[in-house]
Amino acid sequence: MSSRSAPPEALLEAAAGGDRVALARLLSIVERGGKEAGDVARLAYATPPPYTVGITGAPGSGKSTLTNQLVRVARGGWPRSTPADPGTADPVTADPVDQVAVLAVDPSSPFSGGAILGDRIRMQEHATDPSIFIRSMATRGHLGGLALAVPEAVRVLGAAGVPLVVVETVGVGQMEVEVASAADTTLVVVTPGWGDSMQASKAGLLEIADLFVVNKADRPGLHDARRDLEQMLDLSAPADWRPPVLATTASSGEGVDELWAAIARHRSHLEESGTLGVRRKARLAQELRRVLTARVLEEVRALSVAGRFDDAVRSIADGTLDPYRAAEELLPPVATRSDPLT
Amino acid sequence: MSSRSAPPEALLEAAAGGDRVALARLLSIVERGGKEAGDVARLAYATPPPYTVGITGAPGSGKSTLTNQLVRVARGGWPRSTPADPGTADPVTADPVDQVAVLAVDPSSPFSGGAILGDRIRMQEHATDPSIFIRSMATRGHLGGLALAVPEAVRVLGAAGVPLVVVETVGVGQMEVEVASAADTTLVVVTPGWGDSMQASKAGLLEIADLFVVNKADRPGLHDARRDLEQMLDLSAPADWRPPVLATTASSGEGVDELWAAIARHRSHLEESGTLGVRRKARLAQELRRVLTARVLEEVRALSVAGRFDDAVRSIADGTLDPYRAAEELLPPVATRSDPLT
């Protein structure tokens, strides 16, 4: 049922039935972008999104080991201690977590898709576990990049029946922070002594973190790192959720149960306060903006291929055209002067 | 001749005649963007661009004092020791530099335009000098931002007869590096001991620097800073121009004559190798891409105002629409399916 020419509907049905090759194929389509990705998106966005946990932090902070441990604990199900308000739109109905998917996002890697079923050694523990699906995502063929592909991949996983998706990024580059923060719960992982190396990123990380994790907590400096984070949090504007600072030692698994419980508390908070729906809608608006921008950049690229873009640049260089008039000629306004909705 | 309702043509004529209020008004129009900026651009891009020197570096590296000194030396004219090849497109014809404009770009400042004629204390020396024009640029009303407004402002200054424009940025943020590197000659200013604080930016700065300046050279660590830079340069791919590493003490003016001579050598190199025209054309292509993208984002914003964007997001949230179909409906392809050039 996962033959190369199978239509997206058939692939999704197969993926929902446990066919991992079909699921991998769908994700490859999403990663490539273009018309076929649009067909997959049409199906995937019809299903409510899965719960997503984003994990970001500096390279070397042990995010992969932590993800590995977190997935293990999450398979035990959501803790029952924090029941959701039955009045919210998307309550915690399913305490068990029968499947978990990990999207390992590495914008700098030339490889993608190849990590299915465990070519990442650190994830080997789960490689043969049918309830855990691991996928690397790197470059993407078309414009829009990972910032577009990752949310779509999350929706495909949700439509295939995966209730929990962990999005892990390699570093704290702008794109990676963007991708990791487009989650329901975003974890920022630091290590004792992080302060010196990540000074510049602090403000940005504070903005996106729902939870801070000091990993490698068995190293010296845990106390200082916690105090540093708590002081930062003291200085930031008061909000209805103050990110807790947790300590883990991912290599031994210490603190991971508490981390999972904190994620569950954040989920309950989002659901009870109604923030979950608001945040998800804001993310959809961001996704739509990205798709719109990517479409236009594709048009600009098409112009470029047709030589018209270069012609325009040449005329500007000659002084016979300016960028504004060139834009007007290359891309006449459409949305604002007519109603293209039919 | 610089009345508020004067048409761009009249303002530009007045500015070329030395009317600074008219010039300031033109720059304000460019900064605001929109249709009127397009009218100004039409005029400004008809004149070849002035020579531009971009200056970037970490806050505290003394860029403003250095700019101040450089402007003073530049007013003495281009050194005659490096005549341009008469065969190149844009030779150094005018050895004297009768006017210099400084654009001080500060993306974080809520103020802009206000610094004309010297409200920046450090520029006070030049405040009453009619041959030096100083302007701060900060936020811009419309989408596209400073990355669009600065190159246009440079062209306006050129059209008003200013032969040399220095673009100075406050820091080394992504936007600032982009703005400073969109110059004919880009200076990266560091200080002794810079290595520790700018580790992460090193590779990016190496990419854009045509000249490195170790300012505050009277401080300890000059030797190490130079060696550090030279080692970086040794490791980078060989090019036809190896950025020289200069030492200045801007507070006393020491080394600034040598810096100006190095800028002149770089200019001669660009002109003799033909690189100047190639680089300028690449910058125009980048500017056109920015205008095109800004236009589309404006259309998306117009959709948003009309409520159609929000309607689409709501439908996506409901599962009855997906971002791809929404984009198709909101922004049907134009450039690729018809020829809008008439």
Side-chain angles (χ1 to χ4, degrees):
Chain A
M1 200 55 256
S2 57
S3 92
R4 191 155 283 277
S5 59
E9 289 82 358
L11 285 174
L12 190 56
E13 200 183 324
D19 183 340
R20 294 196 158 202
V21 178
L23 182 52
R25 194 152 294 157
L26 286 167
L27 294 175
S28 294
I29 292 170
V30 160
E31 220 171 357
R32 272 199 307 272
K35 200 206 152 289
E36 232 191 332
D39 295 341
V40 171
R42 206 180 58 241
L43 299 171
Y45 281 80
T47 306
Y51 201 83
T52 50
V53 175
I55 303 186
T56 192
S61 55
K63 291 184 300 296
S64 294
T65 314
L66 188 66
T67 300
N68 197 8
Q69 295 278 10
L70 189 63
V71 164
R72 180 182 54 74
V73 173
R75 279 286 291 107
W78 291 98
R80 277 191 175 276
S81 58
T82 52
D85 182 332
T88 57
D90 189 6
V92 183
T93 47
D95 280 358
V97 176
D98 53 351
Q99 279 194 84
V100 185
V102 176
L103 291 177
V105 177
D106 183 357
S108 61
S109 167
F111 305 106
S112 84
I116 306 149
L117 299 177
D119 73 348
R120 292 167 89 215
I121 285 177
R122 42 198 191 179
M123 281 287 188
Q124 252 175 0
E125 182 188 334
H126 304 309
T128 54
D129 183 339
S131 67
I132 292 167
F133 180 87
I134 299 159
R135 167 97 180 187
S136 288
M137 293 187 79
T139 52
R140 196 191 196 194
H142 85 125
L143 286 155
L146 286 166
L148 247 179
V150 172
E152 285 168 29
V154 167
R155 297 301 293 249
V156 167
L157 289 163
V162 177
L164 178 68
V165 177
V166 178
V167 177
E168 178 208 325
T169 67
V170 166
V172 287
Q174 196 188 334
M175 204 286 301
E176 290 163 294
V177 163
E178 231 169 82
V179 165
S181 64
D184 296 318
T185 300
T186 300
L187 273 57
V188 171
V189 184
V190 303
T191 50
W194 73 294
D196 310 325
S197 62
M198 288 170 75
Q199 198 68 35
S201 325
K202 274 186 184 178
L205 295 176
L206 190 64
E207 215 166 274
I208 64 158
D210 298 309
L211 280 84
F212 278 105
V213 184
V214 186
N215 191 33
K216 306 193 177 179
D218 52 342
R219 294 202 182 164
L222 171 63
H223 176 76
D224 289 353
R226 288 191 103 137
R227 194 201 46 213
D228 191 18
L229 285 167
E230 295 288 2
Q231 279 174 354
M232 268 171 57
L233 291 165
D234 288 343
L235 292 172
S236 71
D240 57 349
W241 171 264
R242 180 182 166 116
V245 180
L246 292 127
T248 58
T249 306
S251 56
S252 69
E254 192 157 336
V256 179
D257 285 327
E258 291 77 4
L259 173 59
W260 178 237
I263 294 170
R265 275 197 301 279
H266 184 245
R267 177 180 181 163
S268 295
H269 160 75
L270 289 178
E271 287 172 346
E272 284 160 23
S273 64
T275 319
L276 185 62
V278 174
R279 280 171 72 151
R280 284 181 169 179
K281 208 170 258 184
R283 268 154 51 199
L284 287 176
Q286 184 59 33
E287 280 174 57
L288 179 53
R289 253 179 245 116
R290 287 220 176 86
V291 173
L292 286 167
T293 309
R295 273 183 65 100
V296 173
L297 292 175
E298 269 165 12
E299 294 209 3
V300 172
R301 192 162 62 168
L303 290 171
S304 182
V305 168
R308 291 176 53 214
F309 183 86
D310 289 343
D311 289 348
V313 171
R314 210 167 300 122
S315 298
I316 301 171
D318 293 346
T320 57
L321 194 65
D322 65 86
Y324 282 83
R325 263 193 306 158
E328 189 86 27
E329 289 178 4
L330 291 173
L331 208 66
V334 277
T336 50
R337 74 177 177 201
S338 68
D339 188 345
L341 279 174
T342 45
Chain B
M1 199 56 256
S2 58
S3 91
R4 190 155 283 278
S5 58
E9 289 82 358
L11 285 174
L12 190 56
E13 200 183 325
D19 183 340
R20 293 197 159 201
V21 179
L23 182 52
R25 194 152 294 157
L26 286 168
L27 294 176
S28 294
I29 292 171
V30 160
E31 220 172 356
R32 271 200 306 275
K35 199 204 152 291
E36 233 190 332
D39 295 339
V40 172
R42 205 180 59 240
L43 299 170
Y45 281 79
T47 306
Y51 200 82
T52 50
V53 175
I55 303 187
T56 192
S61 56
K63 291 184 300 296
S64 294
T65 314
L66 188 66
T67 300
N68 198 8
Q69 295 277 10
L70 189 63
V71 164
R72 181 182 54 76
V73 173
R75 279 286 291 109
W78 291 98
R80 278 191 174 275
S81 58
T82 51
D85 182 332
T88 58
D90 189 6
V92 182
T93 47
D95 281 358
V97 176
D98 53 351
Q99 279 193 84
V100 184
V102 175
L103 292 177
V105 176
D106 184 357
S108 61
S109 166
F111 305 105
S112 85
I116 305 149
L117 299 177
D119 73 347
R120 293 167 87 214
I121 285 177
R122 41 195 191 182
M123 282 287 187
Q124 251 174 1
E125 182 188 335
H126 303 309
T128 54
D129 183 338
S131 68
I132 293 169
F133 180 87
I134 299 159
R135 167 96 180 189
S136 288
M137 294 187 79
T139 53
R140 195 191 196 192
H142 85 125
L143 287 155
L146 286 166
L148 247 179
V150 172
E152 285 168 29
V154 167
R155 297 301 291 250
V156 167
L157 290 162
V162 177
L164 178 67
V165 178
V166 178
V167 177
E168 177 209 325
T169 67
V170 166
V172 286
Q174 196 189 332
M175 204 285 301
E176 290 163 295
V177 164
E178 231 170 82
V179 165
S181 64
D184 295 319
T185 300
T186 300
L187 273 57
V188 171
V189 184
V190 303
T191 49
W194 73 294
D196 310 325
S197 63
M198 289 170 73
Q199 198 69 35
S201 325
K202 275 187 183 177
L205 294 177
L206 190 63
E207 216 165 273
I208 64 158
D210 297 311
L211 280 84
F212 279 105
V213 184
V214 185
N215 192 32
K216 306 193 176 179
D218 52 343
R219 294 203 182 163
L222 171 63
H223 176 76
D224 289 352
R226 288 191 102 137
R227 193 200 46 212
D228 190 17
L229 286 167
E230 295 288 2
Q231 279 174 354
M232 266 171 59
L233 291 165
D234 288 343
L235 292 171
S236 70
D240 57 350
W241 172 264
R242 180 182 166 116
V245 179
L246 292 126
T248 58
T249 307
S251 55
S252 70
E254 192 158 337
V256 179
D257 285 326
E258 291 77 5
L259 173 59
W260 178 238
I263 293 170
R265 274 196 302 279
H266 184 245
R267 178 179 181 165
S268 295
H269 160 75
L270 289 178
E271 288 172 345
E272 283 160 22
S273 63
T275 319
L276 185 62
V278 174
R279 278 172 74 152
R280 286 182 168 177
K281 208 171 259 184
R283 267 154 51 198
L284 287 177
Q286 184 59 31
E287 280 174 58
L288 179 53
R289 254 179 242 115
R290 286 219 176 87
V291 173
L292 286 167
T293 308
R295 274 184 63 101
V296 173
L297 292 175
E298 269 165 10
E299 295 210 3
V300 172
R301 194 163 61 167
L303 290 171
S304 182
V305 169
R308 292 175 54 214
F309 183 86
D310 289 343
D311 289 347
V313 171
R314 210 168 299 120
S315 298
I316 301 171
D318 293 344
T320 57
L321 194 64
D322 65 87
Y324 282 83
R325 264 192 306 158
E328 189 86 26
E329 290 178 3
L330 290 172
L331 207 67
V334 277
T336 50
R337 76 176 177 204
S338 68
D339 189 345
L341 279 175
T342 45

